[in-house]
Amino acid sequence: MQQTNSKKGGTTRWSNRFAYILAATGAAVGLGNIWKFPYITGENGGGAFVLVYLICILLIGIPVMMAEVAIGKYGRRTPGKSTSEVAKASGKPAFWGFVGWMGVISGYLILSFYVVITGWGLAYIFKAGAGDFGNGDPAAVQALFKGLTSNGWALLGWTSLVVIGTVLVIGKGVKAGLERAVSTLMPILFLLLLVLAGYAASEGDFAAALHFMFDPDFSKLTINGVVVALGHSFFTLSLASGIMIMYGAYLPEGVSIAKSSLWIAFFDTLVALIAGMAIYPIVFAHHLAPGAGPGLIFQTLPIAFGQMPGGRLVGVLFFIMLVFAAFTSALALIESSVAWLVEKRGFSRWGAAITAGLGIWLLSLGTIASVAELPIAQFAGTDFFSVLDYLTANILLPIGGLAIAVFTGWVANKSLIADMIDAPAVFKNWYPVIKFLAPVAILLVFLQLVGIINL
Ligand code: TRP
């Protein structure tokens, strides 16, 4: 069907460069951009944090993304298998495949709570449409959120819809399912985002938002803010979660890894910044707090939607946008495990999709039980969801990113990687970054996160 450069590798390829960039952007753009980025920017004081985040994306995120895609492009297999293929070809033991495996496991764990939060977004499309935000009375809006999160059956229902949707698309395959879905959803997502930012600019306090996001005040930046910024640059670019290796395995021949990675990171960052420009003008115009935390989108924004002219429609559009963004990420998050079941266990594509979906559905019960505060999910002063969240974002992703940088810079054969990057001038500058700068920076941040050092 398509050409392949590896005798044993799979033959699935994205249709073209554009399809690849769109799919990878769909994976990168998600709850991280629209839900998490605005609230952590709020919590960390605005402009200076945004600047550090941009530097992290540029100096560490993009180089690590290129490494992942290069590994996938060589191996043409699922992340664990591709990584061990690179190791073997470099004369190193195949157990290095664990570097890819870690990503697949992290991605699967992330997905198990991702589907629950996406379910909240889905529920909020209908709440916004039904006019449930009323006239934006803060107590009523709070109660609405509490009403959803304390209702285990409602959470289960919304989550199940998200899981079923994911299985239905992913079961159709990479091209007929994944690629088609992102080519429809991503353009709508961009359009909605621009409409919302335009509305926010005309109706909200755009000047205050610009000042907050782009006027760095370094006195507000803490070392912890730097840590959060680096961690988030990993999360938001979908690094260390298997997916960029997997999508690299589907990379058509002749696509520049460097240029496409730059585009993906550019779009991801752009969406985060525009999401901020769609949210903050409304927050400031209604004198709400930017540092409200994870509830910013579900508990603060609806207050504004209830109060502003046309807020019902704007609210519906906003949550549709959120769900589209989250859904394309959920598709990416399940792809590596589905591909693995097909590759290793001989499942049919549909069988694999349904099996992986059932697993996610079962795992998501842990997060649902935590959110609904059922006793079964609470232990040792914490809960299942918080443990998962902490484990993935603060432990698995940093270690996974470090492992990829070390693997690429120190374990893999240099000329093999150079062949994959296929741009000598880029390679010359990128290699020292992946060999020295990225591992050292990630290690520092990781040690800071687990509290071993305290800069
Ligand atoms: N980047 C996604 C977001 O910003 C989250 C994410 C992390 C992800 N790892 C992933 C998405 C792997 C798809 C695949 O919301």
Side-chain angles (χ1 to χ4, degrees):
M1 184 171 58
Q2 292 107 338
Q3 67 206 108
T4 162
N5 72 346
S6 148
K7 291 187 294 291
K8 296 183 290 178
T11 53
T12 307
R13 300 286 183 275
W14 303 111
S15 297
N16 48 51
R17 172 170 171 264
F18 181 71
Y20 162 66
I21 293 180
L22 211 58
T25 304
V29 171
L31 295 171
N33 305 62
I34 297 164
W35 164 69
K36 199 167 179 189
F37 175 72
Y39 89 72
I40 57 177
T41 299
E43 285 178 339
N44 289 283
F49 173 85
V50 173
L51 196 65
V52 175
Y53 160 80
L54 292 177
I55 294 171
C56 290
I57 296 265
L58 216 61
L59 284 187
I60 300 159
I62 295 174
V64 170
M65 181 183 288
M66 289 170 60
E68 293 199 26
V69 179
I71 294 170
K73 182 183 169 190
Y74 180 83
R76 296 296 189 189
R77 297 294 199 101
T78 51
K81 188 76 182 154
S82 283
T83 314
S84 66
E85 292 286 326
V86 172
K88 278 192 274 175
S90 311
K92 302 283 170 20
F95 76 74
W96 279 101
F98 83 88
V99 172
W101 259 111
M102 266 186 65
V104 177
I105 294 167
S106 310
Y108 205 68
L109 294 177
I110 292 174
L111 182 59
S112 80
F113 62 82
Y114 215 85
V115 289
V116 180
I117 315 278
T118 308
W120 295 358
L122 202 55
Y124 265 63
I125 296 176
F126 295 92
K127 291 188 194 300
D132 288 355
F133 303 151
N135 53 11
D137 169 45
V141 167
Q142 296 258 318
L144 194 68
F145 186 65
K146 197 83 203 124
L148 172 67
T149 52
S150 62
N151 183 345
W153 290 111
L155 292 173
L156 187 65
W158 293 114
T159 303
S160 304
L161 282 179
V162 174
V163 174
I164 291 169
T166 308
V167 168
L168 286 180
V169 172
I170 231 51
K172 287 192 181 155
V174 173
K175 288 192 154 195
L178 192 50
E179 188 177 310
R180 258 188 68 197
V182 293
S183 350
T184 316
L185 295 179
M186 292 307 287
I188 302 178
L189 168 70
F190 277 111
L191 202 72
L192 282 178
L193 198 60
L194 289 177
V195 169
L196 290 168
Y199 180 90
S202 64
E203 290 296 316
D205 192 344
F206 201 61
L210 270 183
H211 170 72
F212 180 72
M213 283 184 68
F214 297 113
D215 209 356
D217 174 357
F218 285 95
S219 68
K220 288 192 183 147
L221 187 69
T222 61
I223 181 68
N224 190 53
V226 177
V227 170
V228 173
L230 180 64
H232 186 65
S233 71
F234 267 83
F235 185 83
T236 191
L237 292 178
S238 298
L239 301 178
S241 346
I243 199 59
M244 292 315 298
I245 301 182
M246 194 70 244
Y247 279 18
Y250 302 147
L251 195 72
E253 301 299 329
V255 174
S256 157
I257 292 183
K259 278 192 219 152
S260 53
S261 299
L262 277 175
W263 276 115
I264 296 158
F266 171 75
F267 283 130
D268 184 73
T269 307
L270 192 70
V271 171
L273 296 179
I274 298 181
M277 295 323 291
I279 292 168
Y280 282 122
I282 296 177
V283 168
F284 288 126
H286 292 263
H287 307 290
L288 302 168
L296 187 67
I297 271 187
F298 295 101
Q299 286 171 284
T300 306
L301 224 40
I303 297 176
F305 291 148
Q307 290 175 357
M308 66 201 208
R312 209 151 144 173
L313 178 64
V314 178
V316 170
L317 293 180
F318 180 86
F319 287 108
I320 289 180
M321 173 190 75
L322 180 74
V323 168
F324 278 14
F327 188 64
T328 52
S329 293
L331 295 175
L333 279 160
I334 205 168
E335 172 61 24
S336 323
S337 7
V338 170
W340 179 77
L341 286 173
V342 172
E343 174 186 276
K344 183 78 182 175
R345 302 263 153 237
F347 277 68
S348 70
R349 181 84 191 178
W350 276 109
I354 293 168
T355 307
L358 263 177
I360 278 304
W361 186 79
L362 284 173
L363 260 184
S364 77
L365 297 178
T367 294
I368 291 176
S370 310
V371 171
E373 295 177 14
L374 299 185
I376 188 170
Q378 323 286 318
F379 42 82
T382 181
D383 62 77
F384 186 78
F385 173 39
S386 309
V387 171
L388 258 190
D389 187 21
Y390 188 87
L391 186 73
T392 49
N394 297 349
I395 298 179
L396 291 176
L397 292 193
I399 294 187
L402 178 65
I404 282 157
V406 168
F407 178 79
T408 311
W410 298 85
V411 178
N413 178 290
K414 188 172 172 180
S415 61
L416 181 156
I417 299 290
D419 277 355
M420 290 302 114
I421 298 289
D422 200 19
V426 173
F427 182 80
K428 206 170 113 253
N429 294 299
W430 167 81
Y431 200 67
V433 173
I434 209 71
K435 195 172 172 115
F436 300 108
L437 181 81
V440 169
I442 296 167
L443 199 65
L444 283 179
V445 166
F446 176 64
L447 294 179
Q448 173 78 21
L449 274 175
V450 297
I452 294 175
I453 55 164
N454 214 328
L455 292 178

